[in-house]
Amino acid sequence: MFYAFAALTLLSAWAIVISQNIVRMAVYLLLTLAGAAGMYFMLEAELLAAIQLIVYAGGTLILIVFGVMLTSGNPHAQLKARGFEVFLGVLIGLAITGLLLLAMVNSQFPAERAGEYAHGYDRVGLFGQGFLSTYLIPFELAAVLLLVVMIGAAYMARRRAK
Amino acid sequence: MNPVFNINVYHFVLLSLGLVGAGVATILTKRNAIGILIGVELVLNAAGINFVAFNKYLHHSEVVAVAAEVELPQSAAIVPAGSFELTEASPSYPETMDKIGGASAQFVRRPALHGQVFTIFIIVLAAAEAAIALAIFLNFYNNFSSIDVERADELRG
């Protein structure tokens, strides 16, 4: 199961790097997000997997597809990066991956701890309690942020009177 | 146990490594502004997977104090007082203890979900960021009839 989701996530993520067509990139992003949601299921974060599918796959991706449709004036004019830039970009991406890999190999996680949440608890309920107690201020800040973003985005994308 | 089939935290960290590499490569190689936005989403997803993996494998439970009169679920793991260390960060610090009834409070070990909560905030911020970024791109497209980032050079220093 883990390897199936991992292969889905990684293959479609690197397919985004390779593909030149923006619509294909959006489809591969959908597959990557679905794979990440599967990862959250593997990590026993069911609520998070559901939120990932609803907010990301259902919201952010639709937004991106709308952006593609509204800005692709000439569908035949593909924006191709120069070969040298692609080479350099992929090289830097792989270099950062290698650097982080080195950091991971050199760090000691207490891997002997079994990754088991205590049984008998309603974890979704704990989320609700956390948002209204420990995480009350970040929760309210996120609410205000979303309001500001909604107003700001509508203001910036409005049609200007000529 | 066989490390291939015994999934542990390293597997998830490796996966998010690959994801963050793909994200950085996408950001650097695309000339379409929306492509760059997609790369940013990949990096944010990698961070989220890391948070949840560390939550599950490295900090999956914590001891909290609850008032004596609170009814606990049947399977709640009650911890005898004094069998663990109180830290300032933990919700069972003495100040909190006074509020909930001092010495009569009971201690319970319950799942800790701090990493998952953080990931929810990451998802919220990513959605907000995508909305603002697309508004900017629409504005840019209205002015330049293109979203090639190489043409966004009017602010050259």
Side-chain angles (χ1 to χ4, degrees), chain B residues 113-129:
Chain B
L113 298 173
H114 304 301
Q116 293 192 24
V117 171
F118 218 99
T119 306
I120 288 188
F121 285 120
I122 289 178
I123 292 176
V124 169
L125 288 181
E129 171 242 332

Side-chain angles (χ1 to χ4, degrees), chain A residues 3 19 56 113 115 121 135, chain B residues 4 30 41 56 58 108 114:
Chain A
Y3 289 102
S19 68
Y56 253 122
R113 287 198 212 176
Y121 273 96
Y135 293 101
Chain B
V4 174
K30 302 299 176 199
E41 303 290 338
K56 185 182 173 196
L58 304 187
V108 177
H114 304 301

Side-chain angles (χ1 to χ4, degrees), chain A residues 3 16-17 19 33 44 48 52 56 63 71 73 80-81 97 100 113-117 120-121 127 135 156 160, chain B residues 4 13 17 21 26 29-31 35 41 45 52 56 58 60 75 108 114 116 120 125-126 134 139 141 150:
Chain A
Y3 289 102
I16 293 176
V17 183
S19 68
L33 296 177
E44 296 182 74
L48 211 50
Q52 164 95 356
Y56 253 122
L63 212 59
T71 56
K80 275 212 172 76
T97 310
L100 291 173
R113 287 198 212 176
E116 284 288 320
Y117 289 114
Y121 273 96
F127 263 106
Y135 293 101
M156 274 201 293
R160 285 202 171 64
Chain B
V4 174
V13 175
L17 263 180
T26 307
T29 54
K30 302 299 176 199
R31 283 176 64 193
E41 303 290 338
N45 257 287
V52 182
K56 185 182 173 196
L58 304 187
H60 51 77
S75 53
V108 177
H114 304 301
Q116 293 192 24
I120 288 188
L125 288 181
L134 283 170
N139 243 345
Y141 182 75
E150 305 237 319

Side-chain angles (χ1 to χ4, degrees), chain B residues 58-141:
Chain B
L58 304 187
H59 188 75
H60 51 77
S61 69
E62 65 187 356
V63 174
V64 293
V66 289
E69 60 269 20
V70 172
E71 264 187 55
L72 297 168
Q74 281 191 338
S75 53
I78 294 173
V79 182
S83 67
F84 54 91
E85 274 185 43
L86 291 179
T87 61
E88 194 160 355
S90 77
S92 46
Y93 195 63
E95 279 177 26
T96 327
M97 299 281 308
D98 288 341
K99 277 185 213 154
I100 59 172
S104 64
Q106 44 191 344
F107 297 97
V108 177
R109 182 171 289 280
R110 70 170 192 197
L113 298 173
H114 304 301
Q116 293 192 24
V117 171
F118 218 99
T119 306
I120 288 188
F121 285 120
I122 289 178
I123 292 176
V124 169
L125 288 181
E129 171 242 332
I132 287 294
L134 283 170
I136 293 174
F137 296 161
L138 282 184
N139 243 345
F140 183 65
Y141 182 75

Side-chain angles (χ1 to χ4, degrees), chain A residues 2-122:
Chain A
F2 172 83
Y3 289 102
F5 280 123
L8 174 71
T9 312
L10 282 184
L11 285 181
S12 45
W14 281 95
I16 293 176
V17 183
I18 295 165
S19 68
Q20 292 290 336
N21 187 323
I22 186 73
V23 181
R24 283 197 190 154
M25 276 157 59
V27 174
Y28 287 133
L29 180 66
L30 174 64
L31 291 178
T32 311
L33 296 177
M39 281 298 136
Y40 291 146
F41 266 117
M42 304 287 308
L43 286 163
E44 296 182 74
E46 296 86 2
L47 177 71
L48 211 50
I51 290 178
Q52 164 95 356
L53 283 178
I54 293 169
V55 176
Y56 253 122
T60 308
L61 200 73
I62 298 290
L63 212 59
I64 286 176
V65 172
F66 263 103
V68 169
M69 289 193 293
L70 286 170
T71 56
S72 63
N74 182 2
H76 300 293
Q78 289 193 357
L79 299 170
K80 275 212 172 76
R82 286 173 217 104
F84 173 68
E85 287 174 349
V86 173
F87 175 72
L88 201 64
V90 172
L91 194 70
I92 293 175
L94 288 177
I96 288 179
T97 310
L99 200 67
L100 291 173
L101 186 70
L102 210 64
M104 188 198 85
V105 169
N106 284 327
S107 60
Q108 290 290 321
F109 302 130
E112 71 276 7
R113 287 198 212 176
E116 284 288 320
Y117 289 114
H119 290 290
Y121 273 96
D122 171 19

